[in-house]
Amino acid sequence: MALKGRSNIARVGLVGTGTIGSDWAVRCLANGLDVSVADPAPGAEERLRAHIARIWPLMEEIGLKDGASPDRLTFWPSIAEAVANADFIQENVPERIELKIAVFDEISRNAPADTVIASSSSGLLPSEIQSQTRHPERVVIGHPFTPLYIIPLVEVVGGEQTSDEAKAKAGGFYQGIGMRPLLVRKEIDAFISDRLQTALWREALHLLNDDVATIAEIDAALWAGPGLRWAFMGVATAWHISGERGMRESMGHFGHTIKLPWTKLEAPPFSEELVEKIASGCEAVQGDRDRHELHRRRDRTLLAILDAIEKNWYGPGEDGWPEMDTKD
């Protein structure tokens, strides 16, 4: 079966319009594609269109592809209608494996047999998701990061039955809409980025739970310090170039600290007290600032960071990014 590549993709089918699904709609529309959507939740279409209208002025500033328009969005009452003529499908329903399996079964019974079906899952195994899908070889994970209309990373993961061709086609599509696909070599729960984020989050919860630091102090310790480096070079490269003779010298000096009890790794006990510390700490950081205003400033700051990286760091092919083979 020949799967459709980026050059053949004109219509994207989206199933689910929560935060992730809505952001996929924005990115795809801004890239001049037709977007066909289904979501049974009451008021889903109104919320989606309001989200697109709120973000669209920013997309116009960034730069739209030819033909880009919110008018190219079509909302359908059923999954079958939304995916019937889709050239690429992105599923965005809640993270419940039984629901994912059922939705993929329905998508696969109504979508063209040569269309790649991707899930935005942040940690479920694609082998389980594709278990009842027709033509399971075309199922992949395409895990993005919010706000995905700005952040370029998308992790591409295949299951036991996924073909290399499907992974390559998915990578080609994502590249075509301005993203940077990262192939996850082995099927693993939570993939790469969320595993790293979760390890950091668990340690942050220990610091909070043990009254070592507040939410504001934990956040400041990250964004005002190592987080600035991580924005463009990652933890390993940042460490590598910090010493005169690179990582070999650094490991000689600090390698022994790996065994020191500096981290707990396991999450602290989940309790109402911990939830209250997290929630009240985040609310204190937000203060009386409007949530949409925080989103607007976040988006503009991210764009400024990406612009600075483009101007001052290394370009594609020089930055060490592991490119996928996305040839048609």
Side-chain angles (χ1 to χ4, degrees):
M1 180 176 64
L3 297 168
K4 295 181 179 180
R6 173 66 184 95
S7 60
N8 297 323
I9 293 174
R11 178 181 296 274
V12 175
L14 299 179
V15 179
T17 60
T19 300
I20 298 298
S22 297
D23 282 4
W24 275 121
V26 171
R27 183 178 275 273
C28 291
L29 290 168
N31 277 273
L33 301 176
D34 290 315
V35 177
S36 183
V37 182
D39 190 321
E45 180 176 2
E46 291 76 14
R47 288 191 296 272
L48 173 59
R49 293 190 184 278
H51 178 75
I52 294 169
R54 186 168 55 251
I55 304 300
W56 200 254
L58 179 65
M59 305 312 293
E60 290 177 324
E61 290 183 33
I62 295 172
L64 302 174
K65 293 285 184 68
D66 291 343
S69 171
D71 295 337
R72 298 182 73 165
L73 174 76
T74 306
F75 205 96
W76 297 91
S78 70
I79 289 176
E81 293 167 292
V83 304
N85 298 306
D87 303 313
F88 190 92
I89 298 166
Q90 189 81 32
E91 165 275 316
N92 316 283
V93 304
E95 290 282 272
R96 300 197 303 271
I97 188 60
E98 297 82 3
L99 177 61
K100 297 274 191 187
I101 291 173
V103 167
F104 264 73
D105 176 41
E106 185 171 358
I107 291 172
S108 69
R109 284 187 284 106
N110 293 281
D114 56 357
T115 296
V116 172
I117 311 173
S119 173
S120 296
S121 175
S122 59
L124 298 177
L125 295 177
S127 288
E128 295 184 6
I129 292 174
Q130 70 188 173
S131 61
Q132 295 180 26
T133 304
R134 298 188 182 189
H135 304 296
E137 68 278 359
R138 54 166 164 178
V139 171
V140 301
I141 298 290
H143 173 224
F145 297 81
T146 56
L148 76 82
Y149 50 83
I150 292 177
I151 293 181
L153 176 62
V154 56
E155 293 178 308
V156 177
V157 193
E160 293 175 358
Q161 301 181 75
T162 304
S163 69
D164 289 340
E165 184 184 10
K167 288 181 281 188
K169 295 295 185 182
F173 167 68
Y174 294 133
Q175 281 189 344
I177 58 173
M179 303 186 82
R180 303 195 76 175
L182 178 66
L183 178 65
V184 179
R185 295 174 179 271
K186 294 184 178 181
E187 185 180 18
I188 185 172
D189 295 294
F191 323 134
I192 299 173
S193 186
D194 274 0
R195 280 180 166 250
L196 296 171
Q197 290 186 93
T198 299
L200 184 59
W201 177 235
R202 285 174 177 167
E203 195 59 32
L205 292 183
H206 275 294
L207 295 171
L208 182 67
N209 195 52
D210 297 343
D211 296 320
V212 174
T214 66
I215 285 289
E217 292 162 351
I218 292 167
D219 280 359
L222 290 174
W223 76 258
L228 292 174
R229 298 192 300 260
W230 295 345
F232 59 97
M233 64 170 61
V235 61
T237 304
W239 196 0
H240 176 61
I241 69 173
S242 65
E244 289 295 325
R245 289 186 291 277
M247 183 63 84
R248 297 182 189 280
E249 179 185 44
S250 294
M251 290 300 290
H253 289 318
F254 303 109
H256 69 284
T257 64
I258 293 175
K259 293 292 186 179
L260 295 179
W262 287 358
T263 59
K264 298 186 179 182
L265 297 181
E266 294 292 333
F270 187 80
S271 66
E272 290 299 322
E273 181 182 2
L274 179 58
V275 171
E276 178 58 30
K277 283 185 176 182
I278 299 168
S280 61
C282 290
E283 289 161 359
V285 170
Q286 179 176 346
D288 59 0
R289 292 177 291 185
D290 179 73
R291 185 167 176 266
H292 290 314
E293 174 63 12
L294 287 174
H295 285 177
R296 188 187 71 81
R297 288 177 178 254
R298 174 203 64 188
D299 291 354
R300 292 194 175 278
T301 302
L302 286 170
L303 287 171
I305 290 170
L306 289 171
D307 184 59
I309 293 171
E310 184 177 348
K311 290 178 179 177
N312 298 292
W313 196 233
Y314 293 93
E318 299 178 313
D319 58 1
W321 184 265
E323 296 288 351
M324 287 183 60
D325 179 8
T326 58
K327 299 181 179 65
D328 285 339

